[in-house]
Amino acid sequence: MSLSKSFKKAVKKVKKSAKKAGNAVVDTANKAADTVTDTAGTVTNQVSREAEQLAREVDTLTRDAAKLAEQAYAESLAAGEAAWNEVVELSTRFLTDALSDVAQTLAEDVYREHLALLEGMAETGYALLTNPTRHKQVEFLVGQSSQKKKDDDTQKTVSSLSQDASVQRTNNDARGKGFITFSLGSGGDAAYGAGAEGNFGFAFDLPELKELRGYYGVGGVAGLATGASLDFQLGVWADKPSKLDGPELSVSLGASLKYGGSVQVVFNAPATEREWTDFLTSGKLELAGLVVSLGVGVSPTPEVSATVGCGYTWVY
């Protein structure tokens, strides 16, 4: 499916979903969650036992959130429809196969450079979801973000999670690479339909915790998106939480991380025609962040080709 068609299908799907929230969303989410549960029993020969356990943890984490996320996702898109339409227009004009290849090459270089950090992020995700106390806290945050709720309990939960040894270790490694913001959330295409991807969660600066922002992202993809489940996502970012809004260009890579995770390398997307022209001539993009997705829906091997797409993130 072309990028243009993917974007148009995403917009059409989300507008319809906004009108059909309720039982239809619940049914879609339950079907996706059931697929995850059924598939989890077949992954033993594909990934490690840790990845199989993690897949089941992600299933319990995202099952309820998927029931709630689509409406909030649609509201985010509606609120920023003008910005979204501009991203669609510029992306479909400039994101040619040649530029997609350039973006993929840049992403692969970033992946190799930050592989140790990415492995550490996946390990942190596993540690959080297999610790009963931490799992409940992460589940609370995912639930809050799926409904766009940010309150004192959210702040307290983030503060507690920031004290976790695995989070602190990953944060220290990330800051050593120039990343100052940490994010926890969920994402995927299960609740949104083919051609549309969404992600949601909370971003916070560590160790200061001066900023806490909820975020919602929407994207169309060029290529084949695999997997039917929402995934648990950990991210590290070069900007403060309040600065994460805007257009982005992301490259999703199948990755042979220990816990079966996949990697998304996120660049700041050109936001004007001049910036797209500069990308065309220079072949350079500014790195915005790294995301590790954990769950049964992601490929544990590098067999799936890189997927390049543009999207937009809103913060609140």
Side-chain angles (χ1 to χ4, degrees):
M1 180 180 292
S2 70
L3 181 65
S4 177
K5 289 182 179 178
S6 293
F7 272 126
K8 290 178 181 178
K9 194 168 184 178
V11 173
K12 185 176 180 181
K13 164 68 179 176
V14 170
K15 287 183 176 179
K16 283 186 176 180
S17 298
K19 298 178 181 179
K20 296 182 179 180
N23 291 335
V25 177
V26 174
D27 289 344
T28 301
N30 280 335
K31 287 178 182 178
D34 289 342
T35 299
V36 177
T37 304
D38 293 341
T39 307
T42 69
V43 300
T44 306
N45 294 326
Q46 302 174 32
V47 294
S48 65
R49 291 181 180 179
E50 290 91 344
E52 181 180 3
Q53 180 180 355
L54 181 60
R56 297 185 185 279
E57 296 296 339
V58 172
D59 174 32
T60 63
L61 179 74
T62 61
R63 179 184 288 262
D64 290 335
K67 299 174 185 178
L68 302 167
E70 190 169 5
Q71 179 65 25
Y73 169 81
E75 290 170 356
S76 292
L77 177 57
E81 189 168 4
W84 166 255
N85 287 338
E86 187 174 358
V87 170
V88 171
E89 179 188 355
L90 291 172
S91 300
T92 53
R93 284 175 57 195
F94 288 100
L95 191 56
T96 62
D97 289 343
L99 284 187
S100 293
D101 289 343
V102 171
Q104 178 180 338
T105 299
L106 292 173
E108 290 171 349
D109 289 342
V110 171
Y111 171 80
R112 286 189 288 269
E113 179 182 354
H114 297 293
L115 181 56
L117 172 59
L118 292 165
E119 289 280 12
M121 292 167 65
E123 184 176 354
T124 293
Y126 178 78
L128 293 177
L129 294 189
T130 54
N131 178 308
T133 300
R134 297 305 187 195
H135 185 284
K136 288 182 180 179
Q137 292 176 325
V138 171
E139 187 172 39
F140 173 75
L141 289 182
V142 170
Q144 291 286 90
S145 63
S146 71
Q147 302 174 74
K148 284 189 175 178
K149 290 183 178 180
K150 186 177 68 172
D151 53 23
D152 289 342
D153 288 335
T154 304
Q155 182 78 50
K156 291 177 182 177
T157 302
V158 167
S159 180
S160 177
L161 279 171
S162 71
Q163 302 303 313
D164 184 86
S166 64
V167 172
Q168 290 190 346
R169 182 185 64 249
T170 294
N171 178 63
N172 290 336
D173 293 343
R175 290 184 75 88
K177 294 290 187 177
F179 301 103
I180 61 175
T181 292
F182 196 90
S183 68
L184 293 174
S186 186
D189 63 353
Y192 315 123
E197 290 189 348
N199 58 83
F200 51 91
F202 289 104
F204 42 94
D205 54 323
L206 288 176
E208 292 85 358
L209 287 179
K210 292 182 179 178
E211 287 192 18
L212 172 65
R213 293 289 190 276
Y215 65 85
Y216 255 79
V218 57
V221 293
L224 177 65
T226 61
S229 68
L230 293 180
D231 300 313
F232 175 50
Q233 298 181 337
L234 297 90
V236 293
W237 307 91
D239 262 328
K240 293 181 179 180
S242 58
K243 301 295 184 180
L244 296 183
D245 60 326
E248 59 193 33
L249 191 156
S250 63
V251 183
S252 298
L253 301 169
S256 52
L257 300 178
K258 179 179 179 182
Y259 300 107
S262 69
V263 173
Q264 190 176 60
V265 180
V266 184
F267 299 101
N268 290 321
T272 65
E273 185 168 339
R274 180 175 180 177
E275 289 177 358
W276 275 105
T277 303
D278 288 344
F279 174 35
L280 180 65
T281 56
S282 70
K284 296 181 180 179
L285 289 167
E286 183 180 7
L287 180 63
L290 303 170
V291 178
V292 169
S293 296
L294 301 173
V296 75
V298 298
S299 172
T301 69
E303 296 176 357
V304 179
S305 299
T307 308
V308 181
C310 286
Y312 202 94
T313 295
W314 294 268
V315 298
Y316 60 90

